Amino acid sequence: MKTILIVAALDTKGAEVAFCKEQIEALGVKVLLADGGILGRPTITPDITRAEVADAAGTTIERVKEIRAEGDAIALQAKGAGVIALRLHKEGKIHGVLGIGGGMGTALGTGVMRALPMGVPKFMVSSQAGNPAMSHLVGTKDICMFHSVADVVGLNRFTRTIFTRACGGVVGMANAQVKEEKDEKKTVALCAKGATEDANRMLRQRLIDAGYHPMTFHCFGFGPASLEQVIADGYIDGGVIELSSDWLDRIGGGSSFPPDDRYENAGKLGLPQVFVPGTCDLIAAPAGKYTDRKTHLHNEAVTSYRSSYGELHQVGREIGEKLSKSKGPVTVVIPMQGFSVYDRVSGPMHDPEANAGFVDAISGFDGTLKVVKVDAHILDEKFIDAVMDAFLENASKV
């Protein structure tokens, strides 16, 4: 029989958690209750007490209560509950996690969920699920955020419906039989924005033809962070091809959030890599971010802003420093006629003088890295040939 761990603050969410427990058990699944609360007394009896949770975080519940900032206190409780949840998962004692709460409860529940490996069902019922400011709580993990719409307080006709559906969701995820795939083909990660999708599509097909499994990550938002997480977790064993500009977004204030160890995990594992400055002609940010640059409206949420020589020189220098530490072979392949679909002679982002910033900086690493300059646009088949040749050459060295 499967077991679902419910994580919540049982001083404020006791009745709601009790209802969820009843719904899950009615579906033939066991429940463990973990109390991550801090202030009042729990209104229902937990299987894992808040004192045990604090102890797992390396402190005591008395010390946690003394912390003035409630957010810091909840973070400690999330850490402790995450330690316990991971241990229970490794022991085969839980098969999914359900969290319910508002702002603090969401921080608690998702904190526990982020401690668990990919594939473990993670279902967070939150009144803040639609709040963009909470997106970092999902981070790089496969957390299902279920919007409660109303606040997660009290039981009524509406909230009972939401909780019942959520319980059915996490139970269904836990009971789903995931077929374990065994294949001798290696997986190659690709990371790109939509402005180079034609290049990405051609590369995916070339990789398939060469006997690899391609796995694509969106080079925007938390996509680059997710890629690094997946590499670190060992899902990528064939190599990495980057057509990425998320480091430029980080420098220029765009809406991508690469982690500090971006472009480092593949190198630590000695994987073959190819880096292309794909979409490095543009910073992807909300409308109105800049008023003094060439712009192109990408969609209602994102505007593309032309990057400068100085920004691209910094990108080339910092990425060059990261890639040069790699234990495996790395090639930087540069499309000298443009970095994205917008960066053609008549395109809104065309500025070869600005692109030269990246070329000048990365060329300083030639010798430590292999740098290949191709007289072609990034979407030209000639350029795709050069990228694949570089990747296959590097793969043959590993």
Side-chain angles (χ1 to χ4, degrees):
M1 184 180 290
K2 299 293 177 67
T3 300
I4 300 298
L5 176 69
I6 301 181
V7 180
L10 298 187
D11 49 354
T12 61
K13 298 293 182 282
E16 297 83 357
V17 167
F19 179 81
C20 290
K21 181 175 185 291
E22 291 176 1
Q23 304 312 303
I24 291 173
E25 289 176 340
L27 295 171
V29 173
K30 293 181 179 179
V31 173
L32 282 178
L33 301 183
D35 181 17
I38 301 168
L39 302 175
R41 292 176 177 272
T43 57
I44 58 174
T45 303
D47 299 293
I48 302 164
T49 67
R50 60 184 61 181
E52 292 174 297
V53 167
D55 183 66
T59 185
T60 66
I61 190 61
E62 288 75 22
R63 290 176 181 171
V64 172
K65 289 179 178 180
E66 291 173 356
I67 298 174
R68 290 188 176 182
E70 190 178 2
D72 292 338
I74 282 291
L76 269 177
Q77 291 296 79
K79 176 183 176 182
V83 169
I84 294 171
L86 182 58
R87 172 175 56 79
L88 291 173
H89 166 68
K90 289 180 176 179
E91 294 172 354
K93 294 179 179 178
I94 63 169
H95 307 90
V97 179
L98 175 69
I100 67 170
M104 289 299 177
T106 301
L108 172 66
T110 55
V112 174
M113 294 170 190
R114 291 195 305 274
L116 294 169
M118 301 283 189
V120 178
K122 309 169 184 74
F123 210 98
M124 184 70 226
V125 183
S126 171
S127 60
Q128 299 300 307
N131 185 347
M134 307 296 278
S135 62
H136 69 283
L137 296 178
V138 175
T140 62
K141 289 303 178 79
D142 52 341
I143 297 172
C144 178
M145 294 289 280
F146 188 60
H147 194 195
S148 64
V149 185
D151 201 358
V152 186
V153 177
L155 295 172
N156 53 58
R157 181 176 62 180
F158 185 81
T159 57
R160 279 194 292 268
T161 298
I162 294 292
F163 294 148
T164 300
R165 297 298 187 198
C167 292
V170 72
V171 169
M173 292 167 71
N175 282 329
Q177 297 298 313
V178 180
K179 183 179 179 181
E180 184 177 351
E181 296 186 27
K182 294 182 179 179
D183 201 316
E184 294 181 357
K185 294 182 179 180
K186 292 186 175 182
T187 299
V188 176
L190 300 103
C191 189
K193 284 189 173 83
T196 59
E197 174 54 27
D198 283 349
N200 194 30
R201 174 183 51 78
M202 287 188 279
L203 286 170
R204 286 197 299 267
Q205 188 57 54
R206 299 287 184 90
L207 287 167
I208 292 170
D209 294 343
Y212 291 95
H213 280 313
M215 183 187 297
T216 301
F217 293 80
H218 194 187
C219 184
F220 188 66
F222 286 97
S226 298
L227 169 57
E228 295 299 330
Q229 181 74 57
V230 168
I231 292 172
D233 287 349
Y235 288 95
I236 306 301
D237 57 359
V240 179
I241 300 177
E242 298 269 8
L243 285 74
S244 56
S245 60
D246 52 280
W247 203 254
L248 169 65
D249 284 343
R250 173 169 164 150
I251 290 169
S255 300
S256 296
F257 312 106
D260 291 342
D261 64 353
R262 181 71 168 116
Y263 307 110
E264 296 178 14
N265 290 292
K268 291 175 183 176
L269 296 174
L271 295 172
Q273 298 179 75
V274 173
F275 180 88
V276 175
T279 62
C280 274
D281 54 307
L282 60 90
I283 296 170
K289 176 72 176 182
Y290 297 106
T291 59
D292 58 347
R293 303 190 187 219
K294 294 179 182 178
T295 63
H296 180 78
L297 181 64
H298 184 63
N299 57 42
E300 63 180 16
V302 178
T303 297
S304 300
Y305 300 91
R306 176 64 232 195
S307 53
S308 69
Y309 178 96
E311 288 164 338
L312 288 178
H313 195 277
Q314 183 178 348
V315 169
R317 184 181 71 254
E318 293 181 2
I319 289 180
E321 290 170 353
K322 287 171 171 287
L323 295 178
S324 64
K325 299 175 184 177
S326 175
K327 295 179 181 178
V330 182
T331 303
V332 178
V333 187
I334 307 173
M336 299 300 290
Q337 293 185 18
F339 294 171
S340 83
V341 67
Y342 305 132
D343 185 16
R344 293 188 181 275
V345 173
S346 59
M349 295 297 161
H350 187 62
D351 188 344
E353 289 77 17
N355 289 356
F358 178 84
V359 179
D360 292 346
I362 204 70
S363 295
F365 294 91
D366 200 0
T368 305
L369 308 171
K370 184 175 181 180
V371 179
V372 177
K373 300 172 185 177
V374 183
D375 186 21
H377 186 266
I378 194 169
L379 303 184
D380 292 346
E381 194 163 346
K382 174 183 176 181
F383 182 73
I384 302 304
D385 290 340
V387 172
M388 278 303 299
D389 288 346
F391 175 76
L392 294 174
E393 178 185 355
N394 288 347
S396 69
K397 298 176 181 177
V398 176

